[in-house]
Amino acid sequence: MSLEVLAVDDSRTMRDMLNLALSSAGFTAHLAEDGVHGLEVLEDIHPDVIITDINMPRMDGFGFIDAVRAEAKWSRIPILVLTTESADELKAKARAAGATGWIVKPFDPAKLVKALQMVAG
Amino acid sequence: MTDTEKQTGSTSIELLSFRVGGQDYSVDIMSVREIRGSAKATSLPHAPFFVKGVINLRGTVLPIIDLSARLGLQSGEDTERNVIIVVDLGERTAGLMVDAVSDILAIPSEEMQPPPDLAADEAKTFVSALTIVDSRMIRILDLEAVMPPQGEEVA
Amino acid sequence: MSDPMAEIRASFFIECEELLESLQDGLQLMDDGDTDPETINIVFRAVHSIKGGAGAFGLDDLVRFAHRFETAMDEVRAGRFHPDGEAIRLFFACADILGDLVRAARDDDQVDDAVTGPVLEKLDKLVGLEEEEEEVLDFTPATLSLDFGDGLLDLPDLPDLSALPAAASSVEGLPSLDLPADMPALTAEALAETTTKGFTVHFKPENALYASGNEPLYLFRALRDIGDISVTCHCGDLPNLNQLDPDTGHLSWDVTVHTEESEQSVREVFEFVDGLCVLEIKPLTGTAAMIAPASAPVVEKVVEKAVETAAPEAAPIASPQKPPVSIKMVTAPAPTPKPAPVAKLPVDSDDDTLDEAPKDEKSGSFAPIKATGTPTQPRATVRVDLERIDRLVNLVGELVINQAMLSQSVTEAGLPPNSPVSTGLEEFLQLTRDIQESVMMIRAQPIKSLFQRMGRIVRESSASVGKDVRLYTDGENTEVDKTVIERLADPLTHMIRNAVDHGLESTEKRLERGKSREGHVTLTAQHRSGRIVIEVSDDGAGINRERVKQKAIEKELIPADAQLSDSEIDNLLFLPGFSTAAEISNLSGRGVGMDVVKSSIQALGGRISITSHEGEGTTFSISLPLTLAVLDGMVVRVADETLVVPLNAILETLTLTETDLKALGPETHVVQIRGGFVPLLDLGAELGYRKPQDSYVGGIVLLIGQEDGNRAALAVDAIEDQRQVVIKGLEGSYGRIPGIAAATILGDGQIALILDPTDLVGQASGRTRVRQPQHALVG
């Protein structure tokens, strides 16, 4: 039940929060600052699930999802998108990009955990 | 602490008593940080007459107040044999130069008396209370009042 | 350990400052004509990130404002709005308010709606957006708490499935699943209780569902968190194995959920797959509903099914690079709710939460990010409590003093200068200085943040006086001690305001004089010979010296017949009481509180000077020591006292001869140095240590040079040494002493006072000013 999670967000505060929420839930959190960094981290670990922000420098969330989905060894990893946008518009965007689900910021840790369980057990 | 209070039925205050200019004074022992021998002070320009200067107290600059001068008393004899009582007043620390340290006294608080209003004595403003020990009158020093004014230029 | 949320909150506000900085940078670039989408993106992202964090901490005011600002920036980003100069000025104003809101939130303060309201209104009007109150409210900040509530981590009690015959590896177990009656939950009592509460869910995933990374098994597990479930799998659509397309799903399910929850919560489980599957949710109607609608042929093709159940993972199966996730899925034969894996799960989770949680707390939690990587981008930094640095700074200061004492003992012991001890000590000295320098570097930070704050001052003050003003900055990356930066904010603000209000002419006057409509204020910082020099200049009218002098005479600051050089007139502005705010408005000079500015700069061990050219503008120059902790000084003796004179104030030392020394008045002397005359000051007398000497012939004087070019000769009794001293402030323990900057502890343990030559000379020459030889001061 202890999931390994890769969380990608350019905001340090958001990373800190994700780290806190994930580790408090007994998950193992790996953190990355943007898409490029996320891909680097993926070379070393194989998370059960990925959480990513959309708007990031260097490589944004959509680019990151594309890159993850393009790689056969990662293509099945569930990806949750972190967003502040309202659901409908986002659903379409996230899905088109290849995301598995989404979490609306600011997230409630309980909902985060629930969402993770919905996509990765 | 609370036990003893119950036994005696009152609180008492511990005082460090000392002699300065031939008189007995004291300060609350809680504000005393240490007692040390006199050292050559570096004089400060434009300082009030009762500020002896500053000394090095383990790396910090400690202002020294010549208490007998401050209280308008007869200045003590040989300053080399003086004692410095280092007192702490919240943010500020200073050294009080006195003739000699006498004793540590525990005085029940009800035995403290306010200084009489009549005294036209200059030193009176520096005394916050009085008490009698072994038929000697001990003055309790108002430390705040003794300190040199701060924050403004002492020019 | 301290509260992790409080720590994140504190770190959020630090991050905000960084974001505000890049926001300002980005806007500046846009203002300079940069239209790079990434620049706009940086601006957008900064606002967006502040909003995101603020939302997490329930900082509603900040969220609301950031949201509107973000919306406007999004318009720019999307290319729907092209900002002009005016728009960018408004964005700057928004950035300033955003900064205010951040700081207000940090300090539990408030920003008046009267400040934010008009700006927001303008913003919406400008960008052509209506107020989207609704959406704003829609963004409900959820305060992050770590209470995971019930039933999230501790999964609800599940029926004990261990009694079931099916084992994980046994394909024979599969068929039995189709019989809901086998589920222990469906005891007579359970049925009685739940008959009318619950839903039937028909669920048929489309291929896209698998492609999106979703997984039916997890959805069923999530359903199980809502209530007891029974699942029937329909595999009638399964093709033969040789026809099986691994990327196509062929299964559908019917799930019965017994729950008190609403249909909405059932629907939420399928939120991520909405539109990627056929989903029908119907309320349960009586016990009949309990019998699953399933009756499709399930039992044949058992072998095929074993493969098919893994269909969503089929691709990985075929691939040698199969990731662990898939492996896990395969061993737990996938979507079909086979009892074994289902039964295992809750047990797992219980075990995990009991056994592993503490472990995770140790390794995870706030121990910084796992080893998976420091970013390869900007240089790595560590955040350290300032108190720790200051302790280190103090300790190194002690080390320097200790080292000096040791040197003195060695000298007193009579060891020759080239003995091993002396050489070793020399190296020790060098090392100590290196350490000290490195430690000081820790406290240094770029002055940029301060400069950005000044940008705002220019914008606000220019708007209030109706002038067009542009701020140019240079040397933003100059590193300055953190405390210096903090304490420079007030004086610099004052100077910038003065430059805008009084330094620059009105727009009409500028045009009249053939100047650009836009006034320029320039702020620069640079390292110059061991000090930091900060200059504030304007291209205004320059100081009106006639008016200034007149004013000083009216205020009786100088005698009516005083003959003053230009630089002396300029320096009148620094005199206390020269002018007040009320009087300055119709005076084309300056002077609002410049005496206050001067004393704050002096308190930092700095100097301030003015140069002004009529019609061209005025420059204020502040020179500051690199650090507040050490100083190179000359140790001198006067009247039996030891004093330290800052080395950078000393131009030269000389011995007075009879011809150098000229009596001026009854009480004053001047020293003739290479054709110029310099006032002579007796240091001992100036400090009140002694009466003026009978004769200074043969005496030693230090020639002191000041920022404003004025000089003075200080008579001392002897020069003892030249060394680095650690500065010990006097203000904390005693108070400010005129003419004295600070104290230090010398090698013998004695305290020596450090002179403030400018202050000393200023005080002294103040009394003898009219008697000073004028031509000596011009040079």
Side-chain angles (χ1 to χ4, degrees):
Chain A
M1 239 343 249
S2 172
L3 296 175
E4 258 192 73
V5 184
L6 167 64
V8 188
D9 199 309
D10 61 321
S11 156
R12 193 169 65 223
T13 305
M14 209 45 77
R15 285 198 303 276
D16 285 350
M17 287 203 173
L18 286 164
N19 189 26
L20 177 65
L22 294 169
S23 43
S24 302
F27 298 160
T28 304
H30 301 273
L31 306 175
E33 292 189 354
D34 56 34
V36 175
H37 186 208
L39 292 175
E40 283 167 18
V41 173
L42 276 178
E43 293 294 342
D44 299 329
I45 59 155
H46 193 99
D48 300 311
V49 59
I50 295 170
I51 301 173
T52 181
D53 187 28
I54 289 301
N55 202 315
M56 297 182 290
R58 297 207 295 173
M59 180 190 282
D60 71 6
F62 296 127
F64 175 62
I65 295 171
D66 277 350
V68 171
R69 288 285 178 249
E71 193 71 41
K73 58 180 169 177
W74 299 330
S75 63
R76 294 287 175 174
I77 302 177
I79 302 174
L80 292 179
V81 164
L82 263 177
T83 176
T84 52
E85 286 166 61
S86 55
D88 278 348
E89 194 187 339
L90 155 84
K91 224 182 279 182
K93 265 200 234 167
R95 199 169 267 162
T100 310
W102 44 85
I103 300 164
V104 177
K105 279 193 280 191
F107 62 86
D108 169 8
K111 279 191 184 146
L112 173 74
V113 169
K114 201 171 185 176
L116 287 171
Q117 286 169 343
M118 265 156 68
V119 298
Chain B
M1 186 70 183
T2 38
D3 283 348
T4 37
E5 273 167 34
K6 271 172 199 155
Q7 280 162 19
T8 60
S10 75
T11 52
S12 67
I13 175 170
E14 275 197 297
L15 299 171
L16 177 75
S17 70
F18 51 86
R19 286 189 72 79
V20 56
Q23 295 188 346
D24 289 304
Y25 278 86
S26 68
V27 289
D28 186 341
I29 200 140
M30 296 306 288
S31 52
V32 176
R33 231 174 73 179
E34 63 177 279
I35 299 163
R36 49 163 295 157
S38 187
K40 184 186 180 297
T42 301
S43 23
L44 300 175
H46 314 293
F49 65 98
F50 57 85
V51 175
K52 195 85 185 136
V54 286
I55 64 165
N56 167 18
L57 182 74
R58 285 185 303 280
T60 62
V61 178
L62 184 76
I64 301 298
I65 294 165
D66 180 347
L67 203 54
S68 60
R70 182 53 159 161
L71 301 174
L73 303 171
Q74 210 56 284
S75 197
E77 330 77 57
D78 182 15
T79 51
E80 284 303 302
R81 287 167 56 193
N82 285 339
V83 171
I84 289 169
I85 302 171
V86 181
V87 293
D88 235 336
L89 267 120
E91 294 285 287
R92 301 178 75 185
T93 305
L96 303 178
M97 202 168 83
V98 302
D99 296 345
V101 170
S102 340
D103 211 350
I104 293 173
L105 311 163
I107 311 285
S109 45
E110 70 265 17
E111 284 177 29
M112 303 275 212
Q113 300 172 25
D117 239 1
L118 289 168
D121 207 341
E122 164 178 17
K124 190 227 142 193
T125 45
F126 303 117
V127 175
S128 63
L130 297 172
T131 191
I132 306 283
V133 177
D134 299 338
S135 72
R136 276 186 305 155
M137 184 177 78
I138 309 274
R139 301 153 186 85
I140 291 119
L141 205 60
D142 180 350
L143 283 176
E144 291 285 353
V146 166
M147 291 286 171
Q150 202 194 17
E152 66 224 66
E153 287 194 13
V154 219
Chain C
M1 195 176 109
S2 54
D3 174 16
M5 277 311 282
E7 258 176 58
I8 296 180
R9 193 185 148 101
S11 127
F12 164 65
F13 288 118
I14 296 171
E15 185 181 20
C16 277
E17 292 298 332
E18 293 164 13
L19 291 167
L20 287 167
E21 196 176 301
S22 41
L23 173 60
Q24 292 276 356
D25 280 350
L27 287 175
Q28 192 58 57
L29 283 172
M30 284 168 70
D31 196 27
D32 295 343
D34 185 340
T35 53
D36 184 347
E38 183 50 25
T39 305
I40 296 163
N41 237 328
I42 285 171
V43 170
F44 175 83
R45 218 160 30 227
V47 182
H48 179 80
S49 292
I50 290 174
K51 178 180 111 172
F57 293 107
L59 307 172
D60 298 5
D61 289 352
L62 185 52
V63 168
R64 255 178 257 275
F65 187 87
H67 178 77
R68 300 270 284 277
F69 191 9
E70 180 194 24
T71 309
M73 290 319 301
D74 197 31
E75 290 297 298
V76 179
R77 191 170 64 137
R80 287 189 291 267
F81 176 73
H82 302 280
D84 55 4
E86 191 200 344
I88 288 173
R89 260 198 298 285
L90 184 60
F91 293 159
F92 268 123
C94 287
D96 292 340
I97 292 176
L98 192 65
D100 288 347
L101 285 163
V102 164
R103 279 152 217 144
R106 181 189 61 200
D107 306 337
D108 263 331
D109 206 349
Q110 292 234 306
V111 172
D112 199 344
D113 282 349
V115 177
T116 55
V119 174
L120 282 179
E121 219 166 89
K122 271 196 227 163
L123 189 69
D124 291 339
K125 208 181 282 171
L126 186 82
V127 185
L129 286 175
E130 294 302 309
E131 279 194 27
E132 314 162 65
E133 241 353 282
E134 216 170 302
E135 203 189 325
V136 173
L137 293 177
D138 199 34
F139 183 79
T140 324
T143 309
L144 183 63
S145 83
L146 286 168
D147 178 9
F148 283 87
D150 291 325
L152 267 161
L153 289 178
D154 320 324
L155 291 173
D157 286 341
L158 278 148
D160 180 7
L161 300 184
S162 56
L164 287 175
S169 55
S170 162
V171 279
E172 284 161 20
L174 282 166
S176 68
L177 278 178
D178 294 328
L179 307 170
D182 277 354
M183 300 291 282
L186 305 180
T187 55
E189 296 93 312
L191 282 173
E193 265 176 38
T194 56
T195 39
T196 51
K197 299 276 170 64
F199 304 90
T200 58
V201 179
H202 178 66
F203 173 57
K204 185 175 187 335
E206 287 165 12
N207 293 340
L209 184 145
Y210 297 111
S212 73
N214 275 290
E215 171 55 65
L217 172 65
Y218 301 136
L219 299 176
F220 300 150
R221 282 186 193 163
L223 272 184
R224 196 187 50 198
D225 290 343
I226 294 174
D228 291 336
I229 60 167
S230 55
V231 185
T232 309
C233 174
H234 307 282
C235 45
D237 296 341
L238 273 179
N240 284 324
L241 190 54
N242 55 1
Q243 290 164 335
L244 191 73
D245 172 4
D247 281 335
T248 308
H250 302 278
L251 300 184
S252 66
W253 286 270
D254 280 299
V255 186
T256 309
V257 194
H258 299 277
T259 179
E260 301 279 328
E261 302 272 334
S262 66
E263 183 180 331
Q264 183 55 31
S265 31
V266 174
R267 221 164 258 290
E268 272 172 14
V269 168
F270 294 92
E271 186 193 356
F272 294 162
V273 295
D274 186 20
L276 300 178
C277 60
V278 175
L279 184 68
E280 287 159 21
I281 299 174
K282 288 178 196 145
L284 275 182
T285 50
T287 41
M290 289 308 300
I291 285 100
S295 53
V298 195
V299 196
E300 312 118 24
K301 302 179 184 173
V302 169
V303 180
E304 287 92 327
K305 186 176 175 198
V307 176
E308 153 56 24
T309 48
E313 326 298 337
I317 286 179
S319 147
Q321 301 164 302
K322 192 166 52 181
V325 172
S326 305
I327 291 171
K328 198 163 101 197
M329 292 300 98
V330 172
T331 49
T336 34
K338 190 169 153 184
V342 172
K344 232 173 143 186
L345 269 164
V347 176
D348 260 354
S349 83
D350 280 346
D351 282 351
D352 282 353
T353 40
L354 283 176
D355 296 337
E356 284 181 17
K359 253 185 274 160
D360 273 302
E361 207 167 301
K362 251 180 266 156
S363 59
S365 190
F366 281 87
I369 314 173
K370 300 228 168 214
T372 43
T374 23
T376 47
Q377 34 168 334
R379 54 203 165 142
T381 54
V382 182
R383 270 176 290 154
V384 183
D385 196 334
L386 196 60
E387 258 176 46
R388 293 191 193 177
I389 295 177
D390 286 345
R391 234 186 93 217
L392 188 60
V393 169
N394 281 334
L395 282 175
V396 175
E398 297 304 318
L399 187 65
V400 171
I401 291 169
N402 215 282
Q403 188 271 336
M405 287 168 141
L406 198 57
S407 298
Q408 186 145 339
S409 312
V410 167
T411 317
E412 281 165 6
L415 287 168
N418 52 0
S419 68
V421 172
S422 303
T423 332
L425 213 54
E426 200 55 44
E427 280 165 24
F428 177 36
L429 171 80
Q430 194 49 50
L431 280 175
T432 312
R433 286 193 179 193
D434 288 353
I435 293 174
Q436 192 167 40
E437 221 162 86
S438 313
V439 168
M440 293 305 158
M441 286 301 291
I442 303 177
R443 283 188 52 95
Q445 60 183 45
I447 201 162
K448 184 171 184 173
S449 59
L450 182 63
F451 277 18
Q452 284 194 338
R453 283 170 69 180
M454 294 308 122
R456 171 180 195 172
I457 303 297
V458 168
R459 289 192 291 277
E460 288 179 349
S461 56
S462 61
S464 79
V465 296
K467 292 178 187 171
D468 247 355
V469 184
R470 196 174 184 85
L471 176 72
Y472 291 97
T473 57
D474 191 31
E476 296 186 314
N477 293 320
T478 308
E479 296 210 330
V480 185
D481 185 278
K482 187 176 157 55
T483 307
V484 176
I485 291 181
E486 281 160 10
R487 288 168 60 186
L488 267 179
D490 280 349
L492 216 50
T493 301
H494 220 114
M495 292 164 70
I496 293 276
R497 278 210 187 112
N498 260 356
V500 173
D501 290 2
H502 311 297
L504 295 173
E505 315 92 325
S506 65
T507 310
E508 302 80 61
K509 265 220 179 92
R510 286 186 71 88
L511 294 173
E512 221 170 83
R513 290 176 183 172
K515 287 185 173 179
S516 63
R517 178 189 176 81
E518 195 179 55
H520 296 169
V521 174
T522 310
L523 185 56
T524 64
Q526 57 176 307
H527 285 274
R528 196 191 285 165
S529 55
R531 287 176 82 84
I532 292 142
V533 177
I534 295 165
E535 289 189 340
V536 179
S537 47
D538 61 61
D539 66 344
I543 292 173
N544 184 337
R545 299 203 169 96
E546 211 33 60
R547 292 290 297 272
V548 168
K549 193 177 164 192
Q550 208 49 50
K551 193 91 204 163
I553 293 169
E554 278 166 29
K555 297 230 144 201
E556 296 180 350
L557 295 168
I558 51 167
D561 59 352
Q563 294 295 307
L564 300 179
S565 67
D566 283 357
S567 124
E568 278 178 305
I569 294 175
D570 294 350
N571 277 293
L572 289 175
L573 301 185
F574 292 123
L575 284 186
F578 172 77
S579 85
T580 63
E583 290 163 331
I584 198 73
S585 54
N586 53 7
L587 181 75
S588 63
R590 319 164 170 250
V592 182
M594 283 310 287
D595 57 322
V596 179
V597 169
K598 186 180 182 181
S599 51
S600 356
I601 300 295
Q602 282 177 337
L604 287 170
R607 310 275 164 256
I608 182 165
S609 60
I610 320 178
T611 48
S612 181
H613 298 283
E614 208 183 327
E616 288 170 30
T618 308
T619 298
F620 283 87
S621 180
I622 298 170
S623 152
L624 293 163
L626 274 182
T627 147
L628 298 177
V630 280
L631 173 119
D632 280 308
M634 186 177 277
V635 183
V636 300
R637 281 197 78 76
V638 62
D640 283 334
E641 295 287 340
T642 308
L643 289 151
V644 177
V645 185
L647 211 54
N648 54 25
I650 302 173
L651 299 175
E652 61 182 300
T653 59
L654 39 129
T655 308
L656 292 178
T657 64
E658 202 152 359
T659 46
D660 295 336
L661 202 61
K662 317 269 181 209
L664 190 69
E667 286 174 89
T668 54
H669 284 95
V670 291
V671 180
Q672 185 177 3
I673 297 168
R674 285 184 289 278
F677 292 99
V678 176
L680 175 73
L681 304 173
D682 180 336
L683 186 54
E686 291 298 340
L687 295 176
Y689 289 155
R690 66 175 179 205
K691 296 243 154 28
Q693 304 291 91
D694 294 335
S695 164
Y696 292 93
V697 174
I700 297 165
V701 295
L702 313 177
L703 186 63
I704 303 291
Q706 294 171 250
E707 300 295 325
D708 57 13
N710 284 354
R711 295 181 298 169
L714 274 189
V716 300
D717 295 350
I719 293 172
E720 293 203 327
D721 197 2
Q722 199 169 302
R723 69 156 63 135
Q724 199 170 48
V725 296
V726 175
I727 299 173
K728 297 273 177 186
L730 278 171
E731 292 182 25
S733 57
Y734 178 73
R736 206 176 110 69
I737 304 171
I740 302 298
T744 189
I745 298 169
L746 294 179
D748 58 2
Q750 277 286 307
I751 290 181
L753 298 176
I754 301 172
L755 216 59
D756 182 340
T758 303
D759 193 42
L760 183 94
V761 172
Q763 304 270 338
S765 66
R767 292 195 302 270
T768 60
R769 185 176 290 275
V770 283
R771 286 198 267 255
Q772 280 173 24
Q774 296 314 314
H775 47 293
L777 291 169
V778 183

